[in-house]
């Protein structure tokens, strides 16, 4: 295939989630509300952690970064999907498509590493409590967060460098609501099976490595919790349960999309929606509803906000 043929395809057509106009209008309303909830929920977490001195600790510093990443994770695909519900022909430019591929993998890999960092934070807090603030100081926390972003950036760059040089010379329809890496590769005018396997293996390396590290951390934590006092064990278990829940709702869709694809179109779309919409939506709910300190911070924030008005 001649390299000049790569420039033939200048845009891609997305099939979206549904074809019925009435269903698309309904989905527009639903996903618009969900996206507003995602943004507002994560902004609330960022605001509380930034403004409340009681939350200026390593765990909440990492949680604030998770909320920031979740906002980007959803923003990468959801606004485009929402506006496309109102369009008969859903078109995305070649540059826009490549941008979605890059940020999808950059943000996902970064969040995986960040979840590992959060598990390490809980491991140090529960298994080495006397050394917690020495080990998890601001400098180390910042370095670990920077590492997660660096790994995510490198992961995303690897994908975009490979995909942008593929020979796209004709087919340009994607049966999804965004440019997903496996679907884009299938449009290339070449035998894509080997490359697709290689890309899945690369995703698997990142996902499985992070998952093993998470499993190891929480195993040590659970073993330590079982030996702790009842009161301390209960608080530790509540925190760890929230973390483990977030890990599962993030990793399960990723594994079935990229590492172990089922190649069932409707199921792939479901996992893609869950991963890009419901994961960023559920994270704030899990951390705020199960976390007593976050609830208290919310009460203090509302009290400080309403206090001057009441006094006036």
């Amino acid at each position: 295939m001649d390299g000049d043929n790569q420039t033939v395809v200048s845009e891609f057509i997305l099939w979206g989630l549904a074809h019925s106009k009435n269903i698309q209008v309904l989905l527009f309303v639903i996903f618009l509300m969900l996206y507003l909830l995602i943004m507002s929920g994560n902004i609330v977490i960022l605001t509380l952690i930034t403004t409340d001195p009681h939350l200026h600790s390593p765990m909440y510093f990492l949680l604030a970064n998770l909320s920031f990443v979740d906002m980007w994770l959803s923003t990468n695909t959801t606004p485009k999907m929402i506006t496309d519900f109102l369009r008969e022909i859903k078109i995305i430019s070649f540059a826009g498509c490549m941008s979605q591929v890059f940020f999808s993998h950059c943000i996902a890999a970064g969040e995986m590493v960040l979840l590992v960092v959060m598990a390490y934070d809980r491991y140090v807090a529960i298994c080495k409590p006397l050394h917690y603030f020495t080990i998890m100081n601001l400098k180390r926390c910042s370095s670990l967060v920077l590492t997660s972003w660096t790994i995510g950036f490198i992961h995303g760059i690897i994908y975009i460098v490979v995909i942008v040089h593929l020979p796209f010379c004709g087919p340009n329809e994607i049966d999804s609501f965004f440019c997903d890496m496996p679907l884009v590769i299938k449009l290339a005018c070449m035998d894509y099976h080997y490359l697709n396997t290689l890309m899945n293996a690369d995703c698997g390396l990142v996902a499985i490595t992070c998952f093993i590290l998470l499993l190891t951390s929480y195993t040590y934590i659970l073993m330590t919790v079982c030996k702790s006092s009842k009161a301390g064990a209960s608080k530790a278990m509540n925190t760890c349960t929230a973390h483990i829940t977030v890990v599962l709702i993030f990793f399960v869709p990723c594994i079935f999309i990229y590492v172990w694809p089922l190649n069932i179109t409707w199921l792939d779309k479901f996992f893609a929606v869950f991963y890009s919409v419901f994961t960023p939506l559920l994270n704030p709910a899990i951390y705020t509803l199960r976390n007593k300190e976050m609830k208290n911070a919310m009460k203090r924030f509302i009290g400080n906000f309403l206090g001057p008005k009441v006094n006036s």
Side-chain angles (χ1 to χ4, degrees), residues 47-48 51-52 296-312:
T47 303
L48 290 177
T51 59
D52 196 316
N296 292 335
M298 177 68 78
K299 291 175 183 176
R300 285 192 294 270
F301 181 81
I302 294 172
N304 292 334
F305 183 73
L306 295 179
K309 294 185 178 183
V310 173
N311 294 330
S312 61

Side-chain angles (χ1 to χ4, degrees), residues 16-45:
L17 294 178
H19 300 293
S20 168
K21 200 165 186 178
N22 291 334
I23 293 177
Q24 289 193 71
V25 171
L26 177 63
L27 291 176
F28 169 81
V29 175
I30 292 172
F31 282 104
L32 177 61
M33 296 300 294
L34 290 176
Y35 182 65
L36 292 174
L37 284 172
I38 289 168
M39 298 305 289
S40 58
N42 284 292
I43 287 171
V44 165
I45 288 179

Side-chain angles (χ1 to χ4, degrees), residues 18-19 22 44 70 102 113 117 137 145 150 179 197 213 216 240 268-269 280 288 307:
H19 300 293
N22 291 334
V44 165
D70 277 338
F102 169 73
V113 178
V117 173
N137 54 60
V145 170
T150 303
C179 286
T197 302
L213 290 172
T216 303
C240 288
D268 288 342
K269 288 184 180 182
T288 52

Side-chain angles (χ1 to χ4, degrees), residues 84-227:
D84 279 348
F85 285 132
L86 303 179
R87 295 191 179 113
E88 190 170 341
I89 301 177
K90 309 169 195 343
I91 295 174
I92 185 169
S93 66
F94 184 87
C97 186
M98 295 303 107
S99 175
Q100 283 192 338
V101 171
F102 169 73
F103 283 109
S104 290
H105 289 275
C106 172
I107 296 167
E111 181 156 343
M112 285 181 185
V113 178
L114 183 59
L115 288 171
V116 173
V117 173
M118 293 177 74
Y120 174 70
D121 170 74
R122 290 301 83 204
Y123 163 76
V124 175
I126 294 169
C127 300
K128 299 181 179 180
L130 298 178
H131 304 284
Y132 177 61
F133 288 103
T134 304
I135 297 173
M136 297 302 293
N137 54 60
L138 180 60
K139 184 179 179 180
R140 177 161 294 180
C141 286
S142 301
S143 298
L144 290 171
V145 170
L146 183 60
T147 300
S148 72
W149 276 104
T150 303
I151 292 173
F153 179 78
I154 293 171
H155 185 70
I157 283 291
I158 290 171
Y159 277 83
I160 201 64
V161 166
V162 172
I163 293 177
V164 80
H165 288 99
L166 292 178
F168 298 104
C169 59
N172 69 336
E173 296 186 3
I174 299 173
D175 190 6
S176 185
F177 61 92
F178 77 108
C179 286
D180 204 3
M181 181 269 297
L183 300 178
V184 174
I185 288 178
K186 290 179 182 178
L187 299 178
C189 301
M190 57 175 282
D191 184 2
Y192 62 84
H193 293 93
Y194 174 74
L195 180 60
N196 200 38
T197 302
L198 195 63
M199 294 290 98
N200 286 340
D202 182 59
C203 278
L205 179 65
V206 175
I208 300 303
T209 301
C210 289
F211 195 73
I212 290 172
L213 290 172
L214 286 164
L215 195 63
T216 303
S217 295
Y218 286 118
T219 300
Y220 275 107
I221 290 170
L222 291 173
M223 289 170 61
T224 304
V225 164
C226 290
K227 301 174 186 176

